Amino acid sequence: MTDVTHFRDEKTGLLLASDGTPLKTKLRQSLKTSRRRAFMLVAPLLLFIMASFVIPILGLLWQGVSNATYEDSMPRSAPIMRAWDGSSPPSEEMAAAIVADMIDARKAKTIGKVATRVNREESGTRSLFTKTARRAAKMEAPFVAALEKADKDWANIETWRAIKIAATSLTPAFYAAAVDMKYTADGEFVEQSEERQIYVSLFVKTILVAGGVMLCCLLLGYPVAYLMAHLPAKTSNMLMILVLLPFWTSLLVRTTAWIAMLQAQGVLNDLFVFIGITSDDARFSLIYNMTGTVIAMTHILLPFMILPLYSVMRSIPISHVRAAKSLGATNWTAFWRVYFPATVPGIGAGGLLVFILAIGYYITPALVGGQDGQLISNFIAYHMQRSLNWSLAAALGGILLAIVLFLYWLYDRVVGIDNMKLG
Amino acid sequence: MTDTPGERPFVHFDGVQKSYDGETLVVKNLNLEIGQGEFVTMLGPSGSGKTTCLMMLAGFEAATHGEIYLKGQPVNNVSPHKRNIGMVFQNYALFPHMTVGENLAFPLQVRKMSRSDVKQKVQRALEMVQMGEFGARKPAQLSGGQQQRVALARALVFEPELVLMDEPLGALDKQLREHMQYEIKHLHEQLGVTVVYVTHDQSEALTMSDRVAVFDDGIIQQLAPPSVLYEQPDNAFVAQFIGENNRLTGNVTEIVDGVARVQLENGPIVNALAVNCDGVGQKTQLSIRPERIQINSAGIPNQMEGRVLELIYLGDHIRCRMQVCDHDDFIVKVPNSPEHTMLQVGQTYNVGWQTSDCRALDVI
């Protein structure tokens, strides 16, 4: 036996390898190669994800708080408008800068974008901008009077205040708009007028629908997963194929099938009338509304609930329930006190998965939701594709992301994320 | 044992058969009576039907035919939770989300006992298995042996009269297993419960049981106390399964007063107890325990020559593999005492045995 102190540095007390270098250094060296290899293995995917996922998302989130449309096209007036206090009468300097910018922007054909941007802060200013820009070239000092002559709306201070907000590139205005607030030129947040408040109730609706879909999936999926976990392998494989079938069917085919099933003259309603649940002139409206959205989303997301549940249930030894029964528990007690707690990790995983997928679901509500079944993601898509208000879309998306992260954090606090089993 | 044989048995399997697929019988016509307070082990290789019998008794499997009686009452249609049978499972089956204390309290809570009673009984049961300190731990924080004790305590805490154990020591290492065997045996003596124990480990069965039922092929091959099982096996399977056993085959030439004269294949004529041989002219298999064979001792009836092939020193005894009657797997256990012959590999010696130590059995 060798004396152990021989391998210890006398000054630092560190363990030494047999050649005298500290053991920790030695260990780092020996792990270096394997670490480098591990990094090389993930590097292509890492690059791909950075380029196609992380950077675009960060860029979009940045758009939620920053919109430089005005500043880019109207560079002279932007700093002057930002410096204005927002309450004193518009100065000659402001007016001159705006007129000069308008002439340039008209030449560069960017005046339309600027007009749209200002219009978001004060509706009606779009036509004011395009109209004034056409006349700007012929305007002469004093410019405040010239502008007011061109259109009397320039005499309204609210117009100038809207320009001040638009001129500020870095602004909370879009996030404020996403929660039905208005960011004023004085830097205050006020509530939107009642008829324009849509997003908060839409977020609430989306969360409720996602929760409802999750609950439906749990209620429908739990018994199926239980059956599959306790059948012989051959039969359960057959059932598994049936569960996965929705994954393998084209969304368009499924949507058509739902329409055939659920519409007023569809299979289900015909059946209801035939059995006598409802009369011919009072058929249920099951599609192109919230009901349709919930039914279709439950159908699509069901496998995401069943699969984690199934894999968790598979791993519960049959002897646990048997032990409970031999100890005197009835079937229900054995289920509720022994079996059910063991499936909680599966419920958590499936529930979280379904909820997070449902909260951002877009295509199904768009296809079968009608007017009333639209969710927040449909409005994000609307602002991306139709209204082209990308900053508002980014702000709505950012809030959605925050909600999901918050729920994830909450789940971790309550259930514990390491308790989750995906399979 | 409080009941004498002949009284109403505590557990009674009456002509029980079990089939899973309707084509083959896993348990064939089982008849078994177990007295109150008895420790009976069902011993057999895997697939012999022993665990199925236990599960039928516990109520987790239904008998295909026949009836099981518990204290004289038929239980085929009684659901498991009403049978009041404690059970210890192979993998302990402790509920992982409950603490040890909650696990033990479970059977008492479902019996609607008062909170103070539950607490007291749980503590007493834990102390009974020397686990009094561990009530607040989760099962995952315990070692295998500790989990085993908790499982045992849980099966006993509600004071059942019958406890079933399904290979409870299978997952433990050898030393711990032997230790737990004694503990289970002592608990049984202390509490007087009836225990039906399933195992494939013969030393476990011999250590603990009052009686052992040796299972093979869905049939009880022999039901007897351990000593009888080892020394007087009824058939070749039991002789083979329990302990080590030398086999020699031959033909029966005559049977006089329960002693058969057997002409060995490639060997002399020897005498053996006619236990389970078919009669004159039929083949038989002789079974002799390795420790009953004597080397170079004069005055014993059955003698023949054997050549030493291999010697293995095992401390308390020497294991000697010999060639006898052209069989080269003839084992002799020679006690390690100074006066004993020091054997040499390659040498030929005289081996022999008493007629009462040699049993003529069926051929397998």
Side-chain angles (χ1 to χ4, degrees), chain A residues 232-313:
Chain A
K234 208 175 156 189
T235 333
S236 76
N237 281 346
M238 185 67 211
L239 272 177
M240 179 66 86
I241 290 174
L242 293 180
V243 166
L244 291 175
L245 209 59
F247 277 143
W248 303 336
T249 325
S250 144
L251 192 72
L252 215 58
V253 173
R254 268 186 287 169
T255 313
T256 320
W258 287 320
I259 294 170
M261 283 294 290
L262 301 175
Q263 65 187 347
Q265 299 301 321
V267 179
L268 220 53
N269 263 317
D270 283 350
L271 194 71
F272 289 154
V273 172
F274 181 74
I275 305 173
I277 294 176
T278 182
S279 63
D280 198 20
D281 47 356
R283 286 168 178 253
F284 298 113
S285 41
L286 298 172
I287 198 163
Y288 304 127
N289 55 18
M290 192 51 92
T291 320
T293 302
V294 172
I295 291 175
M297 278 171 65
T298 303
H299 179 231
I300 293 180
L301 297 175
L302 201 52
F304 292 100
M305 182 62 95
I306 291 178
L307 291 176
L309 276 177
Y310 169 74
S311 81
V312 167
M313 286 176 178

Side-chain angles (χ1 to χ4, degrees), chain A residues 317-331 333-334 336-342, chain B residues 55 60-61 80-81 85 87 89 91 93-98 103 106-107 109-111 154-155 158:
Chain A
I318 189 172
S319 60
H320 282 192
V321 172
R322 285 187 164 179
K325 285 187 191 168
S326 80
L327 294 170
T330 58
N331 285 340
T333 314
W336 184 244
R337 290 204 49 198
V338 174
Y339 194 85
F340 182 78
Chain B
M55 290 301 164
F60 299 128
E61 301 282 359
H81 71 270
I85 297 175
M87 186 147 182
F89 291 84
N91 51 11
L94 296 174
F95 307 138
H97 58 288
M98 299 184 192
N103 262 284
F106 184 83
Q109 284 164 350
V110 300
R111 284 174 174 75
R154 191 179 67 174
F158 59 102

